[in-house]
């Protein structure tokens, strides 16, 4: 694979709603650049980017792929990301490695929620961007409406660069707003000049005027000349555009039809002309020896350092750590320090990933994106540098998963295989979380949404032959008492041979502390119960509180007082007193007005203002208590509510359908509250039948 210098590199992430043509665009770029001999199609499962079995099966992207497109003596590292919101982790990782973004919008579907999310991500990471409108071969594609909708949302930084030319409803060419000239598509990536159609003249003038205004804003000198009515040379215009695009003050809008290879070559040209190469971007780390900040800034002359932005752990491909070189030139015979783990790694070989294919390369210059195989200690988010000059970069902040399911191995004895395979998937996808909820005897898996969890189950089966089923998680209810009780427990077996005898009198009452299962005290007088059996009574309590008498949930907030009892000099034992305690507790608990406590979570739901009413209504239906609503700085409202955890199962899917995918939520455990009687009854019955099922 050819080695490229920093100024020949462009790192460009493709962002946008699902199914707008990102992968098809990347495929067209690869084909035009001669990387492939035929143009693949998503429907046929033969594109460079969607190579994973799950992707070819479902016909959409699930993980980010890298396609290094060689174009006019440069290399454009295209990062093709998934559009479906469940795979946002992949998108954020890709954005952290990019220096610019192309937001893809379908000419047919128009501006969608995914478009706005892509724009917000670019704002957050201060990424220069362009917008590319696909599907322009479709008759009902409406470029002008999209330009209007984008301008309404983002103002005059929206700068249309092309105006579609249609003949008989067919896309045949475009008017170039910068060059004020017409071009007709003629074969693969070629165009030939034509007159600007009369009916597009007005649009051209309007768009060109706006463009010149923005170019004028690129420098004081230009502004003065502009107001003097002066015009700019092509080179000045190109320079002005480049400046404005780098600062994200101008967002060019291009268009085409990637399936027909229309408009793609122009986009590749614009990427090279107007997007920054890495050395025009900032990159700052910390020199861990001194604590001082290290301005790597993708500078070849500085000490070697790199950031691991993604990991591929594939049973067939093996493990690859995808890096972006932040400074210096990394060569295949380097030994680098994993700054986060403190371990040295010999690189052996360097690669550039082309979809699923690792292509060997001798060195990677600053700003370039490559891959290294089999680095045992390395994980996504780690930094690599020289031992003499260790540099650390901040790990990318990834979204927190809130969609939870309980998972069980389908085949008995497969548990280890399942957890080992899940660990491998988690090293690839940092938005998966596993929780071992011992108290409720369940293992939980968290993801961004149900689609992602579904893909995980499929990957486990496909890749690791580990089959799991996902079921509704058990809600971590708790049991406690509201009143006092005074009972006795007697465990007596004296029918010949060594008998068993234990007898306790105990009082139970609320301890007022729901954080602690129980507090135990003894106020026995006169040795009614010998003190060497007190630990056995306490042990009996420890056992009882694991599974409460009401519905077998963990018990909290109980004060247990041993105040009397009796013993037998021969037949009494620790075991007998433990059993007596268990009898006393079961009785005393049920006589002290036992109740079920349900976990309440504090939720934050962020939605565009227009959905506030629906979302509030829905939260009320979930027995939620809305505590407040505050606007955020993005035309959204943040609704804060306390909601029973029982009621939020599947919330991510429901919120998505209520808000068209624009709503986001987070929650954290708040406290326990007494469950309403009907919930309590339902849980007790459910538990009863489950316990009967287990006994059978
Ligand atoms: N007619 C037409 N179809 C397109 C175009 N680009 C993509 N498609 C189709 O749109 C669907 C989604 O494309 P894909 O590239 O997977 O979108 P992504 O989810 O954004 O990566 C596929 O069926 C493509 O064949 C285009 O320019 N014109
Ligand atoms: Mg795709």
């Amino acid at each position: 694979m050819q080695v490229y210098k920093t100024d020949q590199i462009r790192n460009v992430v493709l962002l946008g709603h699902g199914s707008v043509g990102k992968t098809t665009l990347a495929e067209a770029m690869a084909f035009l650049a001669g990387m492939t001999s035929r143009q693949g199609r998503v429907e046929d499962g033969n594109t460079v980017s969607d190579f994973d079995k799950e992707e070819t099966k479902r016909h959409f992207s699930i993980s980010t792929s890298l396609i290094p497109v060689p174009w006019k003596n440069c290399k454009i590292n295209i990062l093709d990301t998934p559009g479906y919101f469940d795979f946002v982790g992949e998108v954020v990782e890709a954005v952290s490695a990019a220096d610019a973004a192309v937001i893809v919008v379908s000419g047919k579907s128009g501006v969608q929620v995914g478009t706005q999310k892509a724009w917000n991500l670019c704002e957050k990471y201060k990424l220069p961007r362009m917008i590319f409108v696909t599907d322009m071969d479709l008759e009902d594609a409406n470029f002008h409406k999209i330009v209007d909708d984008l301008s309404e949302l983002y103002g005059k930084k929206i700068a249309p660069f092309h105006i579609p030319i249609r003949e008989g409803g067919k896309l045949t060419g475009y008017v170039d707003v910068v060059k004020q000239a017409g071009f007709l598509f003629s074969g693969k990536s070629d165009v030939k000049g034509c007159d600007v159609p009369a009916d597009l003249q007005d649009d051209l003038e309007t768009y060109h005027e706006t463009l010149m205004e923005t170019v004028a804003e690129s420098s004081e000198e230009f502004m003065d000349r502009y107001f003097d009515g002066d015009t700019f040379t092509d080179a000045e215009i190109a320079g002005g555009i480049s400046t404005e695009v780098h600062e994200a003050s101008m967002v060019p809008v291009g268009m085409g039809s990637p399936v027909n290879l229309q408009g793609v070559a122009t986009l590749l040209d614009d990427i090279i002309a107007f997007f920054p190469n890495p050395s025009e971007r900032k990159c700052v780390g910390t020199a861990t020896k001194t604590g001082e900040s290290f301005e790597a800034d993708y500078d070849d002359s500085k000490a070697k350092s790199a950031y691991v932005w993604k990991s591929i752990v594939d049973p067939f491909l093996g493990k690859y750590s995808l890096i972006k070189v932040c400074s210096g030139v990394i060569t295949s015979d380097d030994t680098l320090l994993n700054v986060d783990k403190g371990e040295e790694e010999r690189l052996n070989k360097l690669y550039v990933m082309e979809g699923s294919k690792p292509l060997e390369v001798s060195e990677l210059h600053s700003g370039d994106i490559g891959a290294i195989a089999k680095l045992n200690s390395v994980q996504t988010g780690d930094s690599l540098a020289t031992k003499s000059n260790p540099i650390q970069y901040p790990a990318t902040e990834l979204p927190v998963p809130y969609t939870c399911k309980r998972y069980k191995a389908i085949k008995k004895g497969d548990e280890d295989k399942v957890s080992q395979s899940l660990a491998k998937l988690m090293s690839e996808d940092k938005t998966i979380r596993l929780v071992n909820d011992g108290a409720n005897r369940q293992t939980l898996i968290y993801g961004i949404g149900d689609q992602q969890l579904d893909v995980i189950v499929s990957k486990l089966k496909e890749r690791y032959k580990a089959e799991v089923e996902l079921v509704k998680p058990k809600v971590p209810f708790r049991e406690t008492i509201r009143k006092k009780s005074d009972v006795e427990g007697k465990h007596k077996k004296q029918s010949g041979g060594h008998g068993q005898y234990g007898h306790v009198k105990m009082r139970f009452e609320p301890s007022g502390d729901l954080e602690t299962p129980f507090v135990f005290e003894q106020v026995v007088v006169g040795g009614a119960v010998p003190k060497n059996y007190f630990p056995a009574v306490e042990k009996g309590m420890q056992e009882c509180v694991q599974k409460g008498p009401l519905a077998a949930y963990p018990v909290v907030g109980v004060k247990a007082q041993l105040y009397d009892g009796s013993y037998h000099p021969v037949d009494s034992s620790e075991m007998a007193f433990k059993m007596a305690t268990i009898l006393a507790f079961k009785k005393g608990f049920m006589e002290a007005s036992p109740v079920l406590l349900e976990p309440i979570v504090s939720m934050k739901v962020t939605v565009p203002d227009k959905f506030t009413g629906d979302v509030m209504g829905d939260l009320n239906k979930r027995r939620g208590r809305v505590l407040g609503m505050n606007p955020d700085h993005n035309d959204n409202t943040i609704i804060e509510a306390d909601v029973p955890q029982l009621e939020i199962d599947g919330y991510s899917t429901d919120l998505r359908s209520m808000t068209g995918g624009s709503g986001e939520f987070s929650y954290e455990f708040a406290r326990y509250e007494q469950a309403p009687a009907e919930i309590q009854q339902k849980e007790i019955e459910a538990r009863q039948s489950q316990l009967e099922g287990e006994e059978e």
Side-chain angles (χ1 to χ4, degrees), residues 635-665:
D635 300 330
N636 291 322
T637 298
I638 303 173
I639 302 166
E640 293 188 32
D642 283 356
V643 188
Q645 187 171 333
L646 175 69
E647 309 293 346
I648 61 167
D649 183 54
Y651 191 70
S652 69
T653 308
D654 299 345
L655 181 66
R656 203 163 286 168
S657 53
M658 271 187 283
T659 64
S662 57
E664 283 167 10
F665 74 104

Side-chain angles (χ1 to χ4, degrees), residues 344-535:
E344 281 201 290
E345 296 275 3
R346 228 188 104 54
L347 305 189
N348 294 326
K349 286 189 179 157
L350 281 179
Y351 299 94
V352 163
M353 298 305 280
E354 186 183 287
S356 62
K357 267 191 299 179
L359 306 174
E360 217 177 313
V361 68
S362 58
E363 59 185 38
L364 292 168
H365 284 252
S366 284
D368 206 350
I369 293 177
I372 307 165
K374 303 193 182 73
L375 296 180
N376 298 325
S377 73
V378 172
Q379 292 178 316
T380 303
D382 289 352
S383 301
L384 302 173
T386 58
K387 199 166 181 193
S388 55
N389 195 348
I391 310 292
Q392 191 165 36
Y393 297 95
T396 308
E397 198 193 311
L398 291 173
V400 177
Y402 286 103
T403 299
C404 167
K405 283 278 183 286
R406 178 178 170 203
Y407 69 91
K408 292 193 275 190
I410 290 179
K411 279 196 230 113
K412 272 223 155 319
D414 252 11
E415 286 73 16
D416 288 355
K417 186 160 86 173
V418 166
S419 52
Q420 283 153 17
S421 312
L422 274 171
K424 289 190 185 124
L425 290 181
M426 284 168 68
S427 61
E428 259 193 343
D429 184 345
K430 293 282 182 181
T431 60
I432 308 171
R433 292 257 166 92
L434 298 184
V435 172
N436 189 1
D437 176 9
N440 292 292
R441 295 168 297 286
Q442 60 179 350
T443 42
L444 303 174
I445 182 164
Y446 284 78
I448 302 291
D450 294 317
Q451 209 173 28
Q452 182 193 24
L453 295 178
D454 187 50
V455 167
I456 292 165
V457 171
S458 188
K459 280 186 177 175
L460 281 172
K461 188 170 178 204
E462 240 347 288
R463 294 186 186 181
Y464 303 105
K465 309 286 171 272
E467 294 185 64
V468 298
E469 65 169 323
L470 297 184
V471 293
K472 198 174 169 176
K474 282 190 259 178
V475 173
F477 287 106
R478 295 282 181 271
E479 301 182 15
T480 194
I481 53 177
R482 287 286 183 245
K483 295 210 176 87
K484 295 184 180 183
S485 63
D486 185 336
V487 296
E488 61 183 313
K490 187 177 272 185
H491 175 75
K492 187 176 176 187
K493 284 209 178 82
Q494 293 173 308
S495 48
H498 196 297
Q500 294 178 15
Y501 183 86
H503 174 218
V504 294
K505 286 188 180 180
M506 297 182 73
R507 293 188 193 99
F508 297 97
E509 63 183 88
S511 69
D513 169 9
L514 294 180
E515 305 294 318
T516 314
F518 75 101
V519 286
F520 171 69
E521 67 175 24
Q522 58 79 25
V523 291
V524 175
V525 291
V529 176
K531 63 175 172 298
N532 57 312
Y533 291 130
F534 294 164

Side-chain angles (χ1 to χ4, degrees), residues 16-25 41-43 50 59-61 80-84 104 134-138 256-260:
H17 204 81
S19 284
V20 292
K22 299 181 291 297
T23 300
T24 307
L25 176 59
R41 285 170 18 111
V42 171
E43 294 86 334
D50 285 3
H59 300 313
F60 60 74
S61 311
D80 176 31
T81 67
Y84 290 96
V104 179
T134 58
D135 290 342
M136 289 306 296
D137 56 297
L138 301 175
S257 164
V259 275
N260 301 333

